[in-house]
Amino acid sequence: MLENRRFVIIGFFVIIGLIYLSRLFYLQVLDESYSIVSSSNSIKRVIEIPFRGQIYDRTGKLIVYNTPVYDLLVTPYKARVDDTLRFCKVLGIERRDFDSLMAAASAYSRVKPSLFLRQLSKEDFASIQDVMVDYGGFQFAKSSLRTYTAPTLANTLGYVSEITKGQLEKQEEPYYRQSDYIGQSGIEKIYENELRGKRGTKFVMQNVSGVYKGPWKGGELDTMAVAGANLYSGIDLEVQQYADSLMVNKVGSVVAIDPKTGEIISMVSAPTYDPKILANRYFSKNYSALIQNPFKPLFNRPVMASYRPGSTFKLIQALIGLQEGVITPGSGFNHANCPMHCHNHPATSTVALGVTHSCNPYFYNVFRRIVYSNNITNTFKASAVGLQEWHDRVSKFGIGQQLGIDLPSERKGNLPDKNYYDKIYGENRWKFSNIYSISIGEGEILITPLKMANVAAIIANRGYYYTPHVITGVGDNKKLDEKYKVRHETGVSPHNFDPVIEGMLGAVEGGTARRSRVEGIQIAGKTGTSQNKKGDDSSIFIAFAPIDDPKIAIAVFVENAGAGGSAAAPIANLIIEKYLTRKITNKALEKKMFEANFLGKVVITGQAKPITVDTTKSRLLR
């Protein structure tokens, strides 16, 4: 009995010993991770940051690419700098810069490497690489710099910068680290996950001085970095740069859309800036200058600026009136009992003539008929019901809501409904006479330039639109988000667009936009003048061309430039001609628009009083 117990005890210890030896064998021979930890003094784990995806225009031209650069990292507790002045001279920095950079690194962590100096060129790296061996605690890491083929599209492309503390704390997955770069605005932000790629990991050997001695174990444990997906856009780079040149010394927007697809052909926010100034080591200084500039060049006007649409809104009024049957193509109105003034033009006995001459009394009467197209005898209740039905019709044109473009911070604008006026006046205490200004696109209606370009696309398509989008494909297979393939209907029958388009053609050929017509191209357009409380009115024009086979729909807004035919229409029609023919025939008009300067007329709001801006000090603006 005792003999059996002895064998059991011996067997138990033998099994324990075998388990221990097996585990030891696994840890020392099979599991490389412990080997890496045990060799931490000679083996270094290096994270490889992939190149961000490149961005192309609709013709295959490169817009954004990457230039290899180097970042200098520091681990504070290892840092040894005996001669600070010599060190600063090598790196080309001031002593105060050294102190602040070291303080920031120490505040982050004394034992973890963090950014000391960013974006050293290959030439800079080559010149200081050997010298930096003398300074312990410093190491180089490969990185890249966003580079642009042309000084354009700054607001649309957006910029990349160091991730903020708040963004680090809020990330759902622990992907980003201190000092990582992330898309902060524009396309760079919206497509961050696609552009950033996948990180790689390398294990390298180094001696006690930190000198590289080659890959560890021949690189068998390394993982390759995978570059981000390329983006393909609908932007026409040649047309974009031409539109930029026309908007120099002006405040406003240009948005051009391919009506058949919703692809953005050109998007200008003016004044703008060269995107490269936010893609270098002087980011903070340049960003601060842009923030302080009174013309707000970082403000993306095509999707964020709110304007009253002015007379361009009359097109929607006419279409709704025709669809509701309250007017016909041959409807005419006299000016009796109308509180709005006429522009001293020929009689407007048809919808087309009303559009051509942009007659205010005509569209006052159209809107009145729409609102009162019910059998309610109480004027207040009839106005409320009629306005709500009108609101629901107009909203199908994308007004008063986000269209869903692939850019951040798109504004909804404002499309007043029954509840809106109930809050102002009280329920059943307002009627048509309180709201008639919206009949001509004034009053409480607010839109963005993008929305009016989309309205031009709707009319070009005779009743529908695709959600506007900058990016038309992602990756090698050029995948497009399904939401950009959805056709949105307005509920207006195609035949009701005919008299409106006839009137738009008349506006360009012999009406309010006649001075900017283009020989050989039939352009359907509509001018607008958006009223301002201070300063001159803003000039607006929307159009599409050619009429029979629309290839471009456009909206141009020029702040404080006066009537729609004076600035916005010439700029729009020049861009249309450039896109369709690749040339300009009216050189005199082109020269006039190049030289036009409306910056001196711009009233900067949001201050105690309007101020006059010295434009010579706005050096970052274009």
Side-chain angles (χ1 to χ4, degrees), residues 537-557:
D537 294 337
S538 293
S539 177
I540 305 174
F541 186 69
I542 71 171
F544 69 89
I547 285 180
D548 295 333
D549 183 20
K551 292 181 173 63
I552 181 172
I554 191 169
V556 175
F557 286 64

Side-chain angles (χ1 to χ4, degrees), residues 256-394:
I257 300 174
D258 183 340
K260 296 177 181 177
T261 62
E263 297 172 5
I264 299 293
I265 297 168
S266 175
M267 181 172 278
V268 178
S269 180
T272 187
Y273 60 95
D274 188 333
K276 73 179 181 183
I277 69 172
L278 295 185
N280 57 43
R281 72 175 74 170
Y282 307 108
F283 172 87
S284 296
K285 178 181 178 181
N286 291 337
Y287 185 83
S288 177
L290 292 172
I291 282 289
Q292 295 175 34
N293 192 292
F295 290 111
K296 302 179 181 178
L298 290 171
F299 184 67
N300 194 9
R301 288 178 169 82
V303 296
M304 297 175 70
S306 294
Y307 303 91
R308 296 179 180 89
S311 292
T312 58
F313 194 74
K314 294 172 182 175
L315 302 174
I316 296 178
Q317 301 283 38
L319 290 167
I320 293 174
L322 288 165
Q323 185 65 29
E324 291 294 309
V326 299
I327 59 172
T328 68
S331 293
F333 298 97
N334 60 42
H335 299 171
N337 301 317
C338 178
M340 294 182 170
H341 297 295
C342 185
H343 298 306
N344 192 27
H345 53 69
T348 51
S349 55
T350 66
V351 170
L353 288 172
V355 171
T356 294
H357 299 297
S358 195
C359 179
N360 288 338
Y362 189 95
F363 289 96
Y364 167 89
N365 282 291
V366 170
F367 183 49
R368 193 173 189 277
R369 283 197 180 181
I370 294 171
V371 171
Y372 287 138
S373 62
N374 53 61
N375 297 320
I376 302 173
T377 56
N378 183 298
T379 305
F380 296 98
K381 291 182 179 179
S383 297
V385 170
L387 179 74
Q388 191 60 48
E389 292 177 351
W390 168 87
H391 169 277
D392 296 343
R393 281 284 191 186
V394 176

Side-chain angles (χ1 to χ4, degrees), residues 65-123:
Y65 63 100
N66 306 285
T67 298
V69 291
Y70 293 86
D71 293 338
L72 181 61
L73 309 180
V74 61
T75 305
Y77 96 96
K78 292 182 179 180
R80 296 291 182 270
V81 181
D82 297 327
D83 189 343
T84 306
L85 293 179
R86 177 175 176 268
F87 180 85
C88 292
K89 185 177 180 180
V90 168
L91 294 181
I93 60 175
E94 299 291 333
R95 172 59 191 263
R96 62 177 178 272
D97 296 326
F98 171 84
D99 293 336
S100 62
L101 290 168
M102 287 298 295
S106 297
Y108 167 65
S109 173
R110 287 194 53 78
V111 298
K112 294 180 181 179
S114 61
L115 183 69
F116 183 81
L117 204 59
R118 187 182 289 282
Q119 297 170 343
L120 297 168
S121 67
K122 289 187 292 184
E123 292 75 19

Side-chain angles (χ1 to χ4, degrees), residues 465-512:
Y465 70 93
Y466 293 97
T467 300
H469 51 284
V470 178
I471 299 305
T472 61
V474 178
D476 294 337
N477 59 358
K478 298 185 179 180
K479 184 179 180 181
L480 176 64
D481 194 314
E482 290 298 318
K483 70 180 180 181
Y484 298 124
K485 300 177 183 179
V486 177
R487 176 167 155 164
H488 303 278
E489 301 286 349
T490 61
V492 178
S493 302
H495 70 271
N496 285 325
F497 287 84
D498 293 338
V500 172
I501 292 172
E502 179 186 345
M504 294 173 71
L505 177 61
V508 176
E509 294 295 323
T512 53

Side-chain angles (χ1 to χ4, degrees), residues 313 367 371 380-395 399-401 412-432 434-435 438 442-446:
F313 194 74
F367 183 49
V371 171
F380 296 98
K381 291 182 179 179
S383 297
V385 170
L387 179 74
Q388 191 60 48
E389 292 177 351
W390 168 87
H391 169 277
D392 296 343
R393 281 284 191 186
V394 176
S395 65
I399 308 299
Q401 59 192 286
K412 290 182 178 181
N414 187 53
L415 180 62
D417 59 4
K418 174 185 177 299
N419 292 334
Y420 182 89
Y421 288 114
D422 282 349
K423 290 178 182 178
I424 296 175
Y425 299 105
E427 189 171 1
N428 293 326
R429 298 187 65 182
W430 57 272
K431 55 184 178 178
F432 180 79
N434 298 108
I435 64 172
I438 64 179
E442 295 295 341
E444 295 80 14
I445 294 180
L446 293 174

Side-chain angles (χ1 to χ4, degrees), residues 22 43 57 60 91 132 140 142 152 175 195 233 258 268 294 332 349 459 462 480-481 524 542 571 584:
S22 298
I43 299 171
D57 87 337
L91 294 181
M132 291 303 296
F140 290 101
K142 289 183 179 179
T152 186
Y175 177 85
L195 286 167
S233 75
D258 183 340
V268 178
S349 55
I459 299 173
R462 288 164 171 77
L480 176 64
D481 194 314
I542 71 171
I571 290 171
I584 296 298

